Amino acid sequence: MAAFTPRVFSGIQPSGGLTLGNYLGAMKRFVTMQDEGKFETVYCMVDLHAITVWQDPAALTRATRELCAGFIAAGVDPSKSILFNQSQVAEHAQLAWIFNCVARMGWMQRMTQWKDKAGKNSQNASLGLFAYPALMAADILVYHATHVPVGEDQKQHLELTRDIAIKFNNDFGVDFFPETEPVIEGAATRVMSLRDGSKKMSKSDPSDMSRINLIDDADTIAQKIRKARTDPDALPSEVDGLDDRPEARNLVNIYAALAETTPEAVLADHGGSQFSAFKPELADLAVNKLAPISTEMSRLMEQPDGIDRILGHGAEQARALAAPILKKTYEIVGMVGA
Ligand code: TRP
């Protein structure tokens, strides 16, 4: 296997607001990987993926800028990481076409996200939704990315990315694309709904009380935590005591992630407390950590031109990495003029 520069790529869809789940499950890790200095870090707003289901154009524009503001407010530094939106770097779509011709129908049909999203009416789903994982493979492999931090739900897409890399290398007798490693989030960073501890916190949940949005102000955050569903018992002093108590576990996990400690340590301090005492402490912690992010996001959103400049600059840097890899791919495939 050829040696590849250690490079991280990850993407988030600009399709609605950002939640605490995006922050703790994705962005915070993106920042850590950026600051560790072990990798080059490339972070993308995947607008081409967003339009695989209908997006109102004005809402898409706004969501892309808001996502960029969220990345920066969370600590992604455009002078340390490459930060851009996917559609500005045409190489993603170009490599995706090649991969559409490498991936097999059967592989795509097995994708659980396709089955879930297309549902019973798959004949009416967009062709783009079906091809979504080949574009995702292109996002990653157009940078020869070696590591991809993603949620558990994206693991199957990462396996498909490896299958595409292996088949391409094999079909053309080259050692060109890396077998990218997923970096899957730990259970403690999987943030669940505040209304139902068995469901992931989601921007598409009909109840706004089920999630904390990164743009919520301090009072809203505190109110949502106070009203979060819990059971009547006190907190246990060991994590085993959270078995079968999904809502209690979720609040402890959120506390631990925000305080940058472990659930064990949280329970060592708060075991025996009632939720009536624990929730105000969690609310204070959440407001302290999240209010500065929300303030910074609003500040950045007041200057959309500034955001667009950052994204334009990021796209240039991304293109500088992607263009030679696409050119080489075209050569390998036998395209004249590559
Ligand atoms: N499919 C990912 C999600 O919905 C988003 C995504 C697109 C992505 N391209 C990517 C994630 C490449 C990691 C790497 O979460």
Side-chain angles (χ1 to χ4, degrees):
M1 174 69 85
F4 293 96
T5 308
R7 188 174 287 155
V8 163
F9 181 94
S10 198
I12 300 184
Q13 294 194 45
S15 52
L18 284 167
T19 70
L20 180 66
N22 298 115
Y23 174 63
L24 293 177
M27 290 178 159
K28 216 157 165 291
R29 284 193 309 151
F30 295 177
V31 175
T32 307
M33 293 180 116
Q34 161 193 277
D35 292 340
E36 271 171 356
K38 286 196 289 189
F39 303 99
E40 289 179 20
T41 43
V42 185
Y43 299 128
C44 184
M45 282 124 262
V46 290
D47 47 9
L48 296 174
H49 277 108
I51 61 162
T52 57
V53 297
W54 171 252
Q55 302 294 329
D56 171 75
L60 178 65
T61 304
R62 185 179 167 80
T64 305
R65 291 187 179 132
E66 192 175 298
L67 180 52
C68 181
F71 268 113
I72 295 171
V76 172
D77 179 345
S79 71
K80 294 187 192 158
S81 293
I82 298 179
L83 189 62
F84 71 107
N85 61 308
Q86 189 183 27
S87 58
Q88 286 201 65
V89 181
E91 284 79 0
H92 289 243
Q94 291 175 296
L95 185 61
W97 181 259
I98 304 282
F99 287 171
N100 283 343
C101 303
V102 172
R104 306 289 93 183
M105 293 287 286
W107 299 2
M108 310 308 265
Q109 260 150 359
R110 280 194 288 279
M111 294 295 113
T112 53
Q113 185 172 302
W114 155 253
K115 289 192 260 187
D116 291 348
K117 280 203 179 177
K120 289 194 181 65
N121 198 6
S122 67
Q123 291 300 307
N124 199 36
S126 74
L127 184 54
L129 188 67
F130 189 65
Y132 179 115
L135 176 60
M136 179 162 162
D139 295 340
I140 296 164
L141 293 173
V142 85
Y143 301 100
H144 279 180
T146 54
H147 294 82
V148 175
V150 278
E152 183 74 34
D153 61 331
Q154 295 298 311
K155 211 172 152 187
Q156 198 187 27
H157 288 161
L158 262 293
E159 283 160 14
L160 185 94
T161 301
R162 291 164 69 99
D163 288 341
I164 289 177
I166 292 168
K167 182 162 160 53
F168 181 97
N169 288 345
N170 209 43
D171 285 352
F172 294 98
V174 292
D175 183 12
F176 185 60
F177 287 116
E179 288 176 39
T180 307
E181 297 287 339
V183 185
I184 306 285
E185 70 190 75
T189 52
R190 197 165 318 131
V191 180
M192 311 307 281
S193 157
L194 298 178
R195 302 262 102 211
D196 175 353
S198 67
K199 284 201 319 210
K200 207 169 144 175
M201 182 179 285
S202 164
K203 56 194 164 195
S204 50
D205 193 298
S207 164
D208 193 59
M209 292 302 282
S210 72
R211 64 181 157 262
I212 293 174
N213 304 300
L214 286 192
I215 51 161
D216 284 345
D217 61 21
D219 287 348
T220 311
I221 295 172
Q223 193 205 19
K224 285 177 175 176
I225 290 176
R226 268 201 317 274
K227 298 223 163 140
R229 183 170 154 194
T230 46
D231 56 46
D233 296 339
L235 282 173
S237 42
E238 310 277 335
V239 278
D240 289 354
L242 294 172
D243 290 349
D244 305 319
R245 296 180 66 187
E247 284 84 15
R249 177 190 299 278
N250 188 35
L251 294 186
V252 170
N253 282 346
I254 292 173
Y255 192 107
L258 286 170
E260 301 186 4
T261 179
T262 59
E264 286 78 3
V266 175
L267 292 179
D269 282 353
H270 297 274
S273 292
Q274 297 293 332
F275 282 106
S276 55
F278 181 68
K279 279 176 164 180
E281 292 207 32
L282 176 58
D284 281 350
L285 174 65
V287 166
N288 280 333
K289 296 281 178 175
L290 301 178
I293 297 179
S294 131
T295 309
E296 178 64 358
M297 278 179 75
S298 318
R299 193 186 67 79
L300 291 163
M301 288 294 285
E302 279 166 21
Q303 314 228 355
D305 293 354
I307 292 179
D308 294 2
R309 262 198 305 281
I310 290 169
L311 290 175
H313 176 64
E316 258 173 54
Q317 295 175 299
R319 224 174 284 125
L321 293 177
I325 293 176
L326 181 75
K327 181 173 162 52
K328 183 73 191 159
T329 308
Y330 274 13
E331 270 169 39
I332 292 168
V333 173
M335 303 296 193
V336 171

